[in-house]
Amino acid sequence: MFKVVVPARFASTRLPGKPLQDIAGVPMVIRVAQQAQKSLSSEVVIATDHEDILQVAQSHGVRALMTRADHVSGTDRIAEVATRMAWPDEMIVVNVQGDEPLIDPALINEVAQTLADDTQAVMSTACHPIDSNDLLENPNVVKVVLNAKQQALYFSRAAIPFPRDAAQRQGFSAQRHIGIYAYRVGFLKQYAHLPVTALEQIESLEQLRVLYHGFQIAVTITPHAPASGVDTPEDLALVRQLFSD
């Protein structure tokens, strides 16, 4: 059994008020919650910093919690929710980003199960094979390298692993990180007190805080790229078209 928390921050540089953007008559954050409700989760909670998002969630019958506005990351926001909800330390919580209205419920289940199966890990996430050199070299595409136990060695915006010789690239598939996470509540309480690290600031990747402090992250490999999230007005137009078809 696991919970889903959808962190929904109102401010967005490229798309102001993003969680409330309309998608075929329904606010985006509600679309996300509705997808999460199709998973095996026992509960879906929207965690927000804005009264309008709270009211929209309540009007659609989705549980929501007002959280502090000064959280550094979505994980910090989820840690506040887990503490205030008094969820037990062994409970698994999945972080579904508030701008993923097409998130596959099966992927939510897989990430939760990956963490349940790996007792050494405190977190889990997902990745899929990269089939394009353009994606491998794109700094907006986060890559992950795994160890023999299918745990993360490192995440980077750089092309990792980097093939020194062109021939070494043949037949080898790098892995693209998918931004979905599961945590045990006990670790979420620890995470909230872990110092921010230079690595996560340099790469702008919050999961590097976990690796830096010596914790393990289990990774599920899915064969297919997930549906696109919404970061830009162009992304929003595409998703709106998909829902209206």
Side-chain angles (χ1 to χ4, degrees):
M1 185 172 67
F2 62 92
K3 310 280 189 182
V4 169
V5 177
V6 181
R9 192 170 63 92
F10 185 81
S12 172
T13 303
R14 288 181 288 183
L15 199 58
K18 182 162 63 171
L20 298 180
Q21 292 290 333
D22 180 88
I23 299 177
V26 178
M28 178 160 54
V29 69
I30 302 302
R31 290 286 187 191
V32 176
Q34 289 171 341
Q35 286 297 99
Q37 288 170 339
K38 297 175 186 176
S39 74
L40 299 176
S41 166
S42 62
E43 186 175 16
V44 176
V45 180
I46 293 173
T48 187
D49 62 352
H50 200 278
E51 184 66 31
D52 289 351
I53 298 174
L54 183 72
Q55 291 179 2
V56 161
Q58 292 171 343
S59 70
H60 284 81
V62 179
R63 187 164 191 178
L65 197 66
M66 183 69 76
T67 55
R68 292 182 1 231
D70 61 347
H71 286 303
V72 175
S73 69
T75 304
D76 293 296
R77 195 174 305 281
I78 292 171
E80 179 186 346
V81 172
T83 300
R84 288 173 54 187
M85 299 285 280
W87 289 335
D89 284 355
E90 66 274 12
M91 176 66 69
I92 290 174
V93 180
V94 180
N95 173 354
V96 175
Q97 308 286 349
D99 57 4
E100 298 280 351
L102 298 172
I103 186 74
D104 185 354
L107 181 61
I108 299 173
N109 296 337
E110 289 172 17
V111 171
Q113 189 61 51
T114 293
L115 181 55
D117 291 342
D118 190 336
T119 57
Q120 293 181 328
V122 296
M123 270 178 66
S124 63
T125 188
C127 68
H128 71 87
I130 293 176
D131 58 8
S132 160
N133 194 57
D134 288 342
L135 289 178
L136 182 63
E137 296 180 355
N138 186 342
N140 294 317
V141 174
V142 178
K143 277 69 68 173
V144 60
V145 174
L146 310 180
N147 66 14
K149 297 179 181 179
Q150 211 164 298
Q151 297 167 339
L153 287 172
Y154 192 66
F155 298 85
S156 182
R157 297 182 182 278
I160 59 170
F162 181 81
R164 187 185 67 176
D165 301 316
Q168 292 177 321
R169 186 171 295 179
Q170 302 302 315
F172 181 85
S173 178
Q175 300 293 333
R176 178 179 186 171
H177 177 234
I178 302 170
I180 181 173
Y181 302 97
Y183 327 79
R184 290 188 177 88
V185 168
F187 174 69
L188 274 173
K189 294 175 181 176
Q190 289 180 268
Y191 180 92
H193 301 288
L194 291 178
V196 175
T197 70
L199 277 180
E200 69 174 294
Q201 292 178 320
I202 290 169
E203 295 257 22
S204 191
L205 297 173
E206 65 179 276
Q207 64 269 33
L208 290 177
R209 190 188 316 179
V210 179
L211 296 183
Y212 181 86
H213 289 289
F215 297 99
Q216 292 168 318
I217 301 175
V219 184
T220 185
I221 302 175
T222 183
H224 306 296
S228 298
V230 176
D231 288 319
T232 66
E234 292 75 20
D235 295 336
L236 181 60
L238 176 61
V239 170
R240 281 173 170 165
Q241 183 62 43
L242 291 172
F243 272 93
S244 62
D245 287 345

